[in-house]
Amino acid sequence: MSKQIHLAAHFPGVNNTTVWSDPRSLSQIEFSSFEHLARTAERAKFDFLFLAEGLRLREQGGEIYDLDVVGRPDTFTVLAGLAAVTEHLGLAGTINSTFNEPYEVARQFASLDHLSGGRAAWNVVTSWDAFTGENFRRGGFLPEDQRYERAERFLRTAWELFDSWRGDEIVADKEAGVFLTDPLAGSFAHRDAHFDIAGRFNVPRSPQGRPVIFQAGDSDAGREFAASAADAIFTGHGTLQAGKDFYADVKRRLPGHGRSREELLVFPATTVVLGDTDAEAHEHAAHIRRQQVSGQTAIRFLEQLWNRDLSALDPDGPLPDFDPEPGENTIAKGRASVRRHRDPVATARQWRELAEAKQLSIRELIIEVTARQSFIGTASRVAAEMNRFVQEDACDGFILVPHLTPGGLDEFADAVVPLLQERGVYRTEYPGGTLRDNLGLPPLRNPRRSNRNAS
Amino acid sequence: MAPPELHLAVALDGAGWHPAAWRRPQARPAELFSARYWVDLALEAERGLLDLITFEDALGPQSSRDDGPDDRTDQVRGRLDAGLIAARVAPRTQRIGLVPGVVITHTEPFHISKAVASLDYISNGRAGWQPKVSGLRSEAAHFGRREVHTAELFDEAADHVEVVRRLWDSWEDDAEIRDVATGRFIDRAKLHYIDFAGKWFDVKGPSITPRPPQGQPLVTALATDSAGHRFAARAADVVFTTPHDVEQARLVESRIRAEQAEAGREQDRLHVFGDIAVFLGADAADRKAGLDELDGAEYTSDAPVFTGTAAELADRLQAWSAAGLTGFRLRPGAIPEDLTAITRELVPELQRRGLFRTSYDTGSLRGRLGLPRPASRYATTSGGRP
C-alpha cells in the first residue's frame, strides 16, 4: 500500500506570505477567520491547524515594522475556541519555552487536550533574544548554546507533569465517597540546571496523555532534539533532494534514542498555487509573489541582511556592490529570517552572483530567494507532485501556508484533496479519535514511574 | 419609579462550592474535565439571562487546608485552566459574559493581556478576568519562586493589572489601516510602547494583540479584607465582596467607595457585587445538611451561606441592593440543582418584581454593566471617553 499523506494548515500572518491587500483578505484577528480556515481544514480531513507565536512586535531601523501583517491573538485562547467549532482537527500551537514556566504551559496544554477530546499539539521553541525579553519580568536572555538545552529540559519537565497522573486515579464513586484513588496524584519533583520545582500538578491525565510534540529547527542540535523527543518536525527544506537528505538524516537519528522510524513525522511548510492550466498557475503564482514582495518589502528585506539603511536604493535596480555591515540583529529586531544567514557577507556574494547570472533586480532577487517550496500547476499536477514527495521519502506530509486569510485553502480542499483520495494516498475519513491516532503515531508508552516512587 | 435592576453573576467551580456536591445524584463528577460539562453549565446560565459567569482557578489542587494540598480522596481534586474553559465555551454561547479566574502571582502580564484580549475577540466583547493572588508556598514551589512576600501580593497584583490595562491600550482602535497606496498594514504612530517599570515588572510593549472589542475587557476582583478592598478599588471594574448582613453590606460598600476616591477613580463606574453561596429550594437546608454529613464537616465560606427558597433569596437581594450593592455573584452549592434553581426560579422571581432583565441586550459585557468603552489612554486623536 502507498504511504499515506498527512496534511496540515498554517494560519498565515506576520511574514510577508499574506496578501492583505487582496479584497478577499479578511481579518487577521477576528475569530471568524480562524474558524473559516479550521473548518476548511477539517472538511479536507487535515491532521491539524497550526498557529505560530509572537511575543514582541518586530522592528526595523528602530521602528515597528509596518509592511506585513502586524498583530495576532493568543495561541491557547484561539485553539480552545477552535475546539468548539471542530471535531477532529488537531490544534497545534507554538509555545515558547523561554518566557513561560513548565507548570503553567503543561497545565494549559493538558487543559486544551481535555477540552478538545485529545487534539492538542505543542511546537516547542526557544527564543533567546533580550529584545523579546523586554516584555517579560523574567527577562529571559539565553546564550545560544543553551537554547536547546533549556527547551529540552523544559519539555522533560512538562513531560513529568503530564505523567504525574497515571490516568486511572479518578473514579468519582458517589456511593463510596471516593473521588480519586490516590491522595498523592499529580506529585512531582524536578531539579536540573534550569528548573527546580516540586509539588502537585492539578490537571488529571488528558486524553492523549500529553500533547503531540512538534519541533522546528534545522541545526544539528535541533535535529537531535527532535529525534530524541518530538513526534513531528517542521522543516523548510523545499526541494525533493534537500527534503530526502533531511528526511534520511532525522530518521537515521531515531534508533540512537531508542525510537523507531514511525515515531517522527516530517512536515515541510509549502504553498500551493492552482490554475486551469499549468501556464495559468505559474502566471498566477508570479502575480502573488509580486504582491507579497513590494519594492519597499524587497528593500527592507535586503536591509535585514545588509544590516544598514538601504532606503536610497531603487528596488528595480541592481544589488548593492558593497558588503553587509558586521553585527547581528542590529537593524532588524525580532525577525527569525535574519538569523538564517550565518554569514551575511557570503550570502550577499551568492545573491549578487545569482542576480547577475539571471539579470535580476533587487525585487526580483528577493522574490526568488524568499520563495517557499511551491507546488504550482493544475490540481492533478499538484496532487501528483505532492504524492511524489511523500512516496520518495522527502517528507510525510505538508503544512500548507495559504496566501489569503481566511479562504486560502478552499480551492485546495475542493480540487486537490479529492484527487489525492482517488489515488488512495489520502484518507476520506478520520481514522481515530485523537490527533495522535490520526497521525498514525504509535501509542504512548505507559507513564513513567512517578517521582515519589522513584525517589 | 421602578426599582433599579440588579446584576447577577454566577461563580462556577467544579461540581459546586460544597466539597461534597459531586456526590449528589444529579451531579456529573466524571465529566468535570470535559468540554460538554462546561458548555452545558454556561448555556444554562445564559438561559437565565445572567450578566456573567466566573470560572474559579488555582495553580494547585483544591484542599481542605489553608496552607497547601491535603491527602483527602473524598473531594474533587484537579481542575482545568479557567481561561481555556472560557475560550472553549465562548463560541457555544452568545450573550453571557465570560470571566475566568487568573492567578497573577506567578504569571506574566504580557501573556495574560493577550489571552483576555483574545477571549474578547472570540466572544465578541464578552470577556473579563478575575485576577487572583496566591500566597501559598506550595504553589510558589511549582514555579521555583521560593520567596513569596505575602504583604506585597496585592501591590504586585495592582501593578500586574496596570500592565495588562496599558497593553490593551497600546494599540489605538484604528491602528490597522491596510493602506495599499503606501504598503502599510498598520499606522505605527498608533501603536505605543507602554514602558512600564515597577518593582515587579518591566514591560516594554506594545501588545502583540490589537485592542480588543471592549477596549478594556472587564476587570473583576474578589475583596474580602481591607487590602483586597484597596486593590479592587484601584484596579477593578467589578468588586466581589462578602458582607454577611445588610449592615455589613452598607459598610463594605462605603469603604470601597472611599478607596475608590482615594485612588482618584470617583468618576469611574465601579460595581460592588455581594457574593453569596446558595442552596436553593424548599429542601435547601436538608440538602445542605446531607452534604455536610457526607463531607464530615459543616460547610463554611468567606461569603455568607444561604439556604432557602428562591423567593426568600430574592427578598435578601432586594434588601442588600437597597444598601448599595449593584449586583450579586451567586456561588451554587451543588450543580446542577442550585444553578438551575437560580436560572429557573430566582430569575423569574426577580423578573416578577421588576428587578431583573427579561431579555438580553445586544451589547458588550461592559455595555450591559453600564460601563463605557474607554478610549485608549495613548490615543492622540479625539481623546476623552465617549
Side-chain angles (χ1 to χ4, degrees):
Chain A
M1 194 178 120
S2 297
K3 220 172 129 187
Q4 293 291 299
I5 298 174
H6 292 279
L7 293 174
H10 173 67
F11 187 91
V14 180
N15 291 305
N16 62 320
T17 47
T18 303
V19 180
W20 53 257
S21 56
D22 191 294
R24 292 166 293 175
S25 170
L26 304 179
S27 174
Q28 292 286 140
I29 188 81
E30 297 288 343
F31 186 63
S32 55
S33 287
F34 293 88
E35 181 173 355
H36 182 117
L37 195 75
R39 285 187 188 276
T40 304
E42 186 160 274
R43 173 161 64 88
K45 309 291 185 290
F46 278 29
D47 285 284
F48 58 89
L49 177 108
F50 170 62
L51 297 186
E53 185 190 39
L55 298 174
R56 175 92 192 255
L57 296 184
R58 297 161 172 193
E59 292 179 359
Q60 190 153 331
E63 292 184 308
I64 290 168
Y65 194 85
D66 57 2
L67 298 182
D68 302 336
V69 168
V70 181
R72 50 183 147 194
D74 176 69
T75 299
F76 278 120
T77 309
V78 172
L79 293 179
L82 289 176
V85 296
T86 54
E87 285 178 43
H88 302 284
L89 189 67
L91 303 164
T94 297
I95 294 294
N96 195 293
S97 62
T98 306
F99 307 110
N100 289 287
E101 296 297 320
Y103 191 94
E104 191 181 12
V105 169
R107 202 166 172 260
Q108 288 170 304
F109 271 116
S111 297
L112 180 64
D113 206 45
H114 278 288
L115 292 167
S116 64
R119 297 188 276 142
W122 175 14
N123 180 35
V124 186
V125 299
T126 298
S127 174
W128 71 90
D129 64 9
F131 176 73
T132 307
E134 285 177 6
N135 279 334
F136 297 92
R137 62 168 142 187
R138 287 178 237 283
F141 181 82
L142 263 185
E144 192 170 350
D145 60 0
Q146 287 184 23
R147 286 175 59 211
Y148 285 106
E149 184 183 303
R150 161 111 184 171
E152 205 226 328
R153 297 286 179 236
F154 193 105
L155 181 61
R156 299 284 176 204
T157 309
W159 213 308
E160 284 179 30
L161 296 171
F162 296 133
D163 281 352
S164 68
W165 291 70
R166 293 182 309 272
D168 57 0
E169 294 91 343
I170 294 180
V171 292
D173 183 337
K174 294 179 186 180
E175 290 301 315
V178 177
F179 183 79
L180 75 174
T181 53
D182 180 356
L184 297 177
S187 296
F188 69 93
H190 178 100
R191 172 178 289 194
D192 63 35
H194 295 270
F195 304 103
D196 180 3
I197 64 174
R200 297 276 290 275
F201 190 54
N202 70 349
V203 183
R205 194 166 178 81
S206 70
Q208 292 189 110
R210 58 169 170 81
V212 171
I213 304 296
F214 294 159
Q215 196 272 334
D218 195 32
S219 66
D220 191 64
R223 292 180 188 203
E224 206 56 28
F225 173 46
S228 72
D231 299 307
I233 184 166
F234 297 161
T235 83
H237 292 280
T239 65
L240 186 66
Q241 191 54 49
K244 285 164 83 165
D245 293 345
F246 178 80
Y247 192 91
D249 179 70
V250 292
K251 298 260 175 174
R252 179 181 54 74
R253 293 170 188 256
L254 289 162
H257 298 280
R259 304 176 75 205
S260 67
R261 283 173 61 85
E262 293 70 41
E263 291 183 65
L264 181 68
L265 300 173
V266 176
F267 283 91
T270 193
T271 62
V272 170
V273 182
L274 300 172
D276 289 340
T277 64
D278 289 343
E280 186 191 295
H282 279 280
E283 197 177 312
H284 188 195
H287 178 66
I288 291 168
R289 293 295 291 142
R290 284 189 70 79
Q291 288 179 291
Q292 288 169 326
V293 183
S294 68
Q296 290 180 74
T297 296
I299 293 294
R300 300 259 194 108
F301 199 93
L302 205 64
E303 286 179 346
Q304 290 164 22
L305 185 74
W306 254 258
N307 199 25
R308 57 193 285 175
D309 185 345
L310 301 176
S311 55
L313 293 184
D314 175 5
D316 297 319
L319 263 66
D321 54 10
F322 46 85
D323 281 339
E325 295 273 330
E328 195 186 339
N329 290 354
T330 43
I331 191 159
K333 293 183 185 296
R335 294 190 76 95
S337 59
V338 181
R339 299 173 193 140
R340 287 200 202 105
H341 304 291
R342 298 280 157 178
D343 184 350
V345 175
T347 304
R349 194 179 310 125
Q350 287 167 14
W351 286 8
R352 271 200 298 267
E353 286 167 7
L354 181 64
E356 279 161 27
K358 291 194 172 185
Q359 292 293 300
L360 302 176
S361 68
I362 289 173
R363 186 178 180 193
E364 289 162 344
L365 183 276
I366 298 300
I367 285 174
E368 177 122 351
V369 300
T370 60
R372 286 172 189 264
Q373 165 60 32
S374 298
F375 293 99
I376 302 171
T378 61
S380 68
R381 175 177 295 277
V382 166
E385 278 295 299
M386 291 181 98
N387 188 38
R388 183 171 171 224
F389 271 62
V390 172
Q391 302 309 331
E392 295 189 12
D393 279 349
C395 59
D396 296 300
F398 303 92
I399 298 176
L400 301 185
V401 186
H403 73 279
L404 284 179
T405 306
L409 286 180
D410 296 358
E411 193 184 2
F412 182 89
D414 294 333
V416 180
V417 165
L419 297 178
L420 295 173
Q421 289 168 330
E422 278 172 23
R423 286 172 175 263
V425 294
Y426 191 66
R427 63 171 68 117
T428 53
E429 292 301 331
Y430 283 101
T434 66
L435 173 58
R436 201 172 173 82
D437 293 341
N438 289 330
L439 287 169
L441 293 166
L444 281 185
R445 296 168 184 129
N446 289 332
R448 301 141 193 229
R449 286 185 307 153
S450 61
N451 291 295
R452 64 185 179 279
N453 294 333
S455 58
Chain B
M1 204 176 91
E5 284 198 353
L6 51 85
H7 296 283
L8 270 190
V10 65
L12 297 182
D13 186 15
W17 285 70
H18 196 293
W22 68 274
R23 299 180 65 180
R24 292 286 305 166
Q26 289 174 265
R28 297 158 60 187
E31 296 177 50
L32 292 178
F33 307 98
S34 75
R36 178 184 299 185
Y37 178 77
W38 295 99
V39 170
D40 285 351
L41 300 191
L43 288 173
E44 181 62 35
E46 191 166 68
R47 271 192 288 275
L49 308 176
L50 303 186
D51 290 83
L52 62 93
I53 303 167
T54 62
F55 301 91
E56 291 303 305
D57 207 357
L59 293 174
Q62 301 91 330
S63 179
S64 55
R65 297 161 48 146
D66 293 332
D67 58 349
D70 60 13
D71 58 1
R72 289 181 74 148
T73 56
D74 65 330
Q75 297 179 347
V76 170
R77 293 291 179 267
R79 56 170 25 121
L80 303 181
D81 181 272
L84 292 190
I85 292 176
R88 178 63 180 77
V89 161
R92 290 275 177 249
T93 53
Q94 299 293 321
R95 296 284 173 234
I96 196 159
L98 302 170
V99 181
V102 179
V103 175
I104 60 181
T105 302
H106 307 295
T107 56
E108 293 284 350
F110 192 86
H111 290 313
I112 306 302
S113 169
K114 64 185 163 65
V116 179
S118 300
L119 181 62
D120 209 37
Y121 277 105
I122 291 189
S123 64
N124 295 312
R126 296 183 283 134
W129 63 307
Q130 182 185 332
K132 298 162 80 90
V133 300
S134 167
L136 290 175
R137 294 172 62 92
S138 59
E139 292 187 9
H142 296 162
F143 294 83
R145 190 174 153 182
R146 291 174 196 81
E147 298 293 320
V148 175
H149 301 284
T150 316
E152 297 181 334
L153 284 177
F154 280 108
D155 288 333
E156 181 183 1
D159 274 8
H160 195 294
V161 175
E162 175 64 13
V163 172
V164 169
R165 285 186 178 278
R166 286 195 198 184
L167 287 167
W168 287 336
D169 279 348
S170 66
W171 289 56
E172 296 184 38
D173 291 319
D174 52 357
E176 184 182 316
I177 52 172
R178 297 197 186 213
D179 187 54
V180 177
T182 61
R184 294 178 304 148
F185 184 78
I186 47 136
D187 177 356
R188 63 180 163 222
K190 295 184 183 229
L191 267 51
H192 303 274
Y193 296 99
I194 69 165
D195 282 322
F196 185 93
K199 183 170 176 183
W200 297 276
F201 308 102
D202 291 291
V203 179
K204 181 81 181 167
S207 178
I208 199 86
T209 306
R211 197 158 193 261
Q214 293 185 98
Q216 292 272 321
L218 196 71
V219 181
T220 71
L222 173 64
T224 58
D225 59 18
S226 59
H229 292 156
R230 188 171 314 119
F231 162 65
R234 283 160 69 187
D237 302 301
V238 176
V239 192
F240 303 124
T241 64
T242 53
H244 283 245
D245 58 42
V246 70
E247 275 312 309
Q248 279 186 20
R250 203 169 275 131
L251 188 66
V252 163
E253 202 268 347
S254 66
R255 276 191 190 146
I256 287 170
R257 296 298 169 205
E259 291 286 359
Q260 186 185 357
E262 184 74 22
R265 294 184 67 204
E266 301 98 321
Q267 77 287 3
D268 292 351
R269 186 154 195 174
L270 175 66
H271 282 285
V272 181
F273 282 19
D275 261 24
I276 308 175
V278 294
F279 297 82
L280 288 181
D283 66 337
D286 287 347
R287 211 151 44 78
K288 176 177 172 294
L291 288 171
D292 286 350
E293 193 177 321
L294 284 175
D295 196 48
E298 186 182 355
Y299 174 61
T300 59
S301 171
D302 53 324
V305 179
F306 179 89
T307 56
T309 65
E312 288 163 349
L313 181 58
D315 290 344
R316 179 181 290 194
L317 302 190
Q318 200 164 354
W320 289 20
S321 164
L325 300 182
T326 54
F328 297 90
R329 181 172 72 158
L330 305 178
R331 306 178 184 177
I335 289 170
E337 288 138 304
D338 293 309
L339 175 62
T340 52
I342 289 166
T343 54
R344 300 176 194 191
E345 295 169 33
L346 175 68
V347 163
E349 178 64 29
L350 292 171
Q351 287 169 334
R352 272 192 290 278
R353 301 182 189 198
L355 291 169
F356 197 66
R357 70 179 67 87
T358 54
S359 65
Y360 274 125
D361 54 42
T362 55
S364 68
L365 176 58
R366 286 184 74 90
R368 181 168 309 135
L369 291 165
L371 299 164
R373 183 182 190 281
S376 161
R377 75 192 66 190
Y378 303 106
T380 46
T381 51
S382 64
R385 299 192 162 203

